[in-house]
Amino acid sequence: MINSKYDILIAGVGGQGTVLASRLIAAAAIKQGSFARTSETIGMSQRGGCVVSHVRINSEKSGSIIPFNTADMLIGFELAEVARNMQRLSKEGCCIINTQVIKPVSASLGASQYDIEGITKYIEDNSKEIYFIDGYDIAKEAGSVKAVNVVLLGAATAVGKMPFSKEVMLEAIVENVPQKFRELNEKAFVMGYDFISTTQSK
Amino acid sequence: MSKKLLMGNEAIAFGAIRAGVNVVTGYPGTPSTEVLETIAHNNPGDLYVEWSVNEKSAMEIAAGAAYSGARTMVTMKQVGLNVAADPLMTLAYIGVKGGMVILVADDPGPFSSQTEQDTRHFAKFSNLPVLDPSTPEEAYEMVQYAFELSELVKLPVFLRPTTRVCHACATIDVDDGRISNKPEGFVKDLNWVIFPNLSYRKHIHIEKLQDELSDIFSKLKFNQVYGKGRLGVAVSGVAYTYVTEAVEKLKADIKVFKAGTPYPLPKDKAEEFLSGLDEVLVFEELDPVLEEELTLYCAANKKNVNILGKKTHHLPCAGEYTFELVYSALAKFIGVEIAEGEKAEIPALPTRAPVLCAGCPHRASFYATKVALKGQKAVFSGDIGCYTLGNAKPLDMVDTCLCMGAGITVAQGIHRTQPDTKNVAFVGDSTFFHTGIPGIINAVYNNTDITVIILDNSTTAMTGHQPHPGIGKTMMNSISNKIDIYSVVKACGVGHITKGNPLDFKNAVELIKQAVEFNGPSVVIFEAPCIALFKPTELYEVNENCKNCKRCINTIGCPAISIMDGEVKIEPSLCYGCGLCTNVCPFNAIRRCEK
């Protein structure tokens, strides 16, 4: 398991903490002795734009971008952004989805539409293994909506497919967040983990 | 040694520190910025780091230090190199003593740039060697070698990563040791003074050096030839990672030339690659630099090998390359058919273009200008920075954008052709210092009736909040005298200058009206900090007075305001408490609340 190649895609909106989430997964992989690569969108849209992070584990001979139809896991921080990136997920891949909707200005202005039902149906029709989670509410309950990224990391770890253990993931989080937010992040991680452990997929 | 997950830019920084770099200068520009920042944050103590006012200054400071025997690095993005082109071209003749690395990050795509220009052309243009890393780990090694090479040939050396190297992370074994390099100081010599006679001799010298460089490069580990067959693939930069992945997936029997040094061409290596081949496909992002070099080599050496690539329309001439693009081009090249998987129709998705942040003071400045000039014929010239995003609807306040500092001068040009139009230029604080000042001097000197609105948010926001001369902080953590924008504008001779807070909305509109009415160059300085510099203490919420007229949404386009379940709502996790929305609501339906 430790030496197997594993590709994780993280999709969301600038400001949700997707980049940090990708770094934490990579840190956990390195802790376990694996080689990790990541690639992400930086610049131009500080907040509010589309952000995609690619994490590739045991990928010495690969590029940093996950090709189409090959990602093992997709962690979606925002509903529409999941749909936008579904093409990279493999047919056997699993999908952890934060049900939170962040409407862009274009949708508020009526220049584009945000069809929640249509988007949800598309996601359900095109993935075998899906876990929906209200990360925003869980993070709020854990102490801050800013912890939504760690809630989702907990949820993704609970699926049990990443090439490292729950303990290693949690250690990587604790070591890489500022001291004063450790307790909050630990709580957020466990809440996300427990939510998936006790829920069926799809 | 320690294993670290490093971004390409961080890897370059750690590599440079390891190589004993003494002086690092630069101007922020995506995707290059984190190189200088990482060096500043990991300064072992004996290293000088500065953000210069522009790339030309940065290049000249790095050159001066390198004349004195220091190892130096100057960092910028590809369009920044245009600003530094003047010193660059002469520096290639003068040369250096201490190793000098010119780090220029290119942006295929582009993701955040005005152009897709290829720095490898500048290498060719200036006759300077260029190293083109394919991964962050290779960039870490290349930057260390670049200093050695620079000292060996006494020329500056280009390191040219692209976005997918700069902003990708990889697991890297970082050597914590450091080469010690003590500069001996400047030694006077006529060779430091460019004169026509010297430049003639230097031109001969640098041309001759190209063959030497080619020989050095042919023995370099960054250039490799492997594989077999009558078909070959030559590749430069990050496209190499797509090629390795595609070759593996296709199980292709093919000869590969990984060119880590696209200019000058390593001729012996090229010969080793080309011998026995019928056809070559060249993969490289941006321009066909390697492709042209190989074509020239074949022509000059009477080699009957077909070189295919951008020139022959086998590959696209613009945009970022991807695994999919490389995979299908390679499959076609080796004659393998690939099955297209059936794909489900994606539903219509909302477009999510980058916008000004919720609470951004620029939104208020743009909206105040719009209100002040309502009903008048006006052109709004924008510039480079976050505020370029003022072009988005509903603000729609950026009619032109060319390059750093050009908003002020473009406005002057438009004024000369249609004097009946009000010409307003926007410039940010960092851009003002970069190249804005000469434009203002020009307007005063030629008495051109324009209004310049300086959007001073106390930082260089777009690239990630770097300090500049108006902040009074340096990258060496020292406090310096702030350069006061008002005083500089006054010293330039502008006849009408005012200053205000754009969030004090009524006053802001009044200041713009006065400035635009003034006959001659006028300046309004709007001061309010970027939202990344503070935490909000109060927020706004929609109350029962709301008639759902959506004027707040349709006039200012704040991302924190949206319609949820049919009602206008302000998302508390996004609101920054700027209160601009209260100025547009006709029903007093937006009220302040505690955070």
Side-chain angles (χ1 to χ4, degrees), chain A residues 79 83 114-125, chain B residues 345-349:
Chain A
L79 195 68
Y114 198 126
D115 170 12
I116 296 174
E117 275 174 35
I119 292 171
T120 308
K121 186 172 181 308
Y122 166 76
I123 294 169
E124 284 175 337
D125 288 351
Chain B
E345 189 95 1
I346 306 176
L349 295 174

Side-chain angles (χ1 to χ4, degrees), chain B residues 27 383-385 387 404-405 427-437:
Chain B
Y27 187 79
D383 218 301
I384 311 289
Y387 49 97
M404 292 287 287
V427 66
D429 38 355
S430 192
T431 311
F432 170 80
F433 290 111
H434 181 279
T435 30
I437 297 168

Side-chain angles (χ1 to χ4, degrees), chain B residues 47-120:
Chain B
L47 213 157
Y48 177 74
V49 190
E50 74 166 39
W51 282 126
S52 309
V53 286
N54 61 31
E55 296 81 0
K56 173 177 148 70
S57 314
M59 176 88 71
E60 290 158 354
I61 292 155
Y67 290 171
S68 314
R71 283 196 163 183
T72 72
M73 180 154 78
V74 55
T75 77
M76 64 197 74
K77 69 184 294 181
Q78 87 283 17
V79 282
L81 186 57
N82 301 335
V83 179
D86 198 9
L88 170 76
M89 299 308 284
T90 307
L91 189 57
Y93 278 28
I94 287 288
V96 289
K97 186 157 83 182
M100 175 170 171
V101 175
I102 304 173
L103 185 281
V104 188
D106 281 359
D107 185 19
F111 287 89
S112 55
S113 303
Q114 304 96 298
T115 70
E116 276 202 306
Q117 72 186 53
D118 192 323
T119 293
R120 296 176 302 165

Side-chain angles (χ1 to χ4, degrees), chain B residues 129 145 149 152-155 204-219 264-268:
Chain B
Y145 172 70
L149 177 66
L152 182 71
V153 295
K154 302 205 177 326
L155 288 179
I204 294 168
H205 168 72
I206 198 170
E207 289 292 345
K208 218 178 110 212
L209 209 55
Q210 302 305 305
D211 286 335
E212 255 178 66
L213 281 164
S214 171
D215 291 344
I216 293 170
F217 282 174
S218 281
K219 297 184 188 82
L265 182 74
K267 288 184 184 157
D268 291 349

Side-chain angles (χ1 to χ4, degrees), chain B residues 538-554:
Chain B
E538 56 192 35
L539 307 179
Y540 285 82
E541 61 186 7
V542 180
N543 63 31
E544 63 289 347
N545 292 345
C546 179
K547 302 257 190 293
N548 244 350
C549 74
K550 298 181 191 148
R551 194 157 160 197
C552 52
I553 288 171
N554 294 327

Side-chain angles (χ1 to χ4, degrees), chain B residues 499-570:
Chain B
K499 206 156 84 162
N501 184 339
L503 296 166
D504 176 4
F505 192 71
K506 285 197 179 72
N507 184 49
V509 173
E510 194 46 46
L511 292 183
I512 297 161
K513 280 185 178 163
Q514 289 167 6
V516 168
E517 282 315 306
F518 181 80
N519 192 10
S522 58
V523 168
V524 180
I525 304 165
F526 278 139
E527 295 175 327
C530 171
I531 61 154
L533 304 181
F534 67 96
K535 285 206 161 63
T537 52
E538 56 192 35
L539 307 179
Y540 285 82
E541 61 186 7
V542 180
N543 63 31
E544 63 289 347
N545 292 345
C546 179
K547 302 257 190 293
N548 244 350
C549 74
K550 298 181 191 148
R551 194 157 160 197
C552 52
I553 288 171
N554 294 327
T555 50
I556 56 173
C558 172
I561 313 178
S562 64
I563 316 265
M564 287 289 174
D565 305 320
E567 285 179 6
V568 177
K569 188 185 169 259
I570 297 176

